[in-house]
Amino acid sequence: MTHSYSFETEPDSQSVLNEDAALEGIAIIGMAGRFPGAANLDEFWRNLRNGVNSIVEIADAQLNLSDSDRAVMAGNPNYVKMAASIKDADLFDANFFGIFPKEAQVMDPQHRLFLECAWQALEDAGYDPESYAGAIGVYAGCYMDSYILSSLASHPEFLASLANTFHGGSLQTELGNDKDYLATRLI
């Protein structure tokens, strides 16, 4: 999964209302991204320029397969033990973003990476959203949710515990996983 985020500003209301003012455009003022083999945009572009392959082979020990699964995979010519993983994706600081630890556990890793990149893009732009008077917009996107199926659904006891932690645990799970709620996390 690759992520790239950019923030833009809109003209303030005074310049829009002033008929004599020249039309103002939208400027990308800060960017951030994390990619397989690249912790930031500079590394990403360097990898592209140098033809670096960031897809890595997965060792058998990492696959955590049963013996019968290994036998099936060994006989399957379409099975490829390769991955495009993002380094330190498991180091999300939920407290920094005002998210409860259990909520962070339920949240799709794409959403966690998005929050980290959004913060980095604001840092890159040099803007403090708390004190900036203009509007700050974001373009965001992520792949269709598979985390809930591949990771959470295999732990029904954990999902059941959400109902006890959050009123409407299924809604909290949906908000933390569905692609349609990604950009709404930035308030």
Side-chain angles (χ1 to χ4, degrees):
M1 80 188 118
T2 60
H3 302 279
S4 183
Y5 310 97
S6 60
F7 288 86
E8 59 187 49
T9 62
E10 296 176 4
D12 64 13
S13 59
Q14 293 299 328
S15 63
V16 172
L17 296 176
N18 184 351
E19 293 177 21
D20 296 330
L23 291 176
E24 293 187 38
I26 296 174
I28 296 173
I29 55 169
M31 293 178 63
R34 296 200 22 217
F35 309 89
N40 56 52
L41 291 171
D42 289 336
E43 289 179 20
F44 176 70
W45 290 116
R46 188 172 27 255
N47 288 350
L48 284 177
R49 185 179 60 240
N50 296 333
V52 174
N53 181 1
S54 296
I55 309 300
V56 295
E57 186 170 356
I58 303 172
D60 286 339
Q62 290 178 288
L63 292 174
N64 202 15
L65 298 174
S66 68
D67 289 336
S68 61
D69 287 339
R70 282 187 204 287
V72 169
M73 296 303 173
N76 183 348
N78 295 322
Y79 181 69
V80 179
K81 298 184 298 184
M82 304 296 281
S85 58
I86 296 178
K87 186 178 178 193
D88 298 333
D90 59 335
L91 300 180
F92 181 69
D93 186 353
N95 190 49
F96 179 79
F97 292 100
I99 296 173
F100 293 109
K102 195 157 210 163
E103 182 183 357
Q105 283 181 294
V106 174
M107 189 184 298
D108 187 314
Q110 294 177 97
H111 286 237
R112 290 182 239 150
L113 286 170
F114 170 71
L115 289 173
E116 292 172 339
C117 285
W119 177 262
Q120 291 167 352
L122 283 171
E123 289 283 310
D124 182 57
Y127 282 86
D128 176 0
E130 298 293 323
S131 63
Y132 180 66
I136 298 174
V138 63
Y139 292 100
C142 70
Y143 189 69
M144 179 181 69
D145 171 46
S146 62
Y147 179 68
I148 199 166
L149 296 173
S150 65
S151 297
L152 298 180
S154 62
H155 300 285
E157 69 287 346
F158 176 74
L159 289 175
S161 74
L162 295 176
N164 297 329
T165 304
F166 305 114
H167 298 306
S170 62
L171 174 61
Q172 194 65 38
T173 303
E174 182 178 347
L175 293 174
N177 285 273
D178 192 284
K179 63 186 176 7
D180 296 338
Y181 299 106
L182 179 67
T184 64
R185 292 203 159 272
L186 299 179
I187 298 175

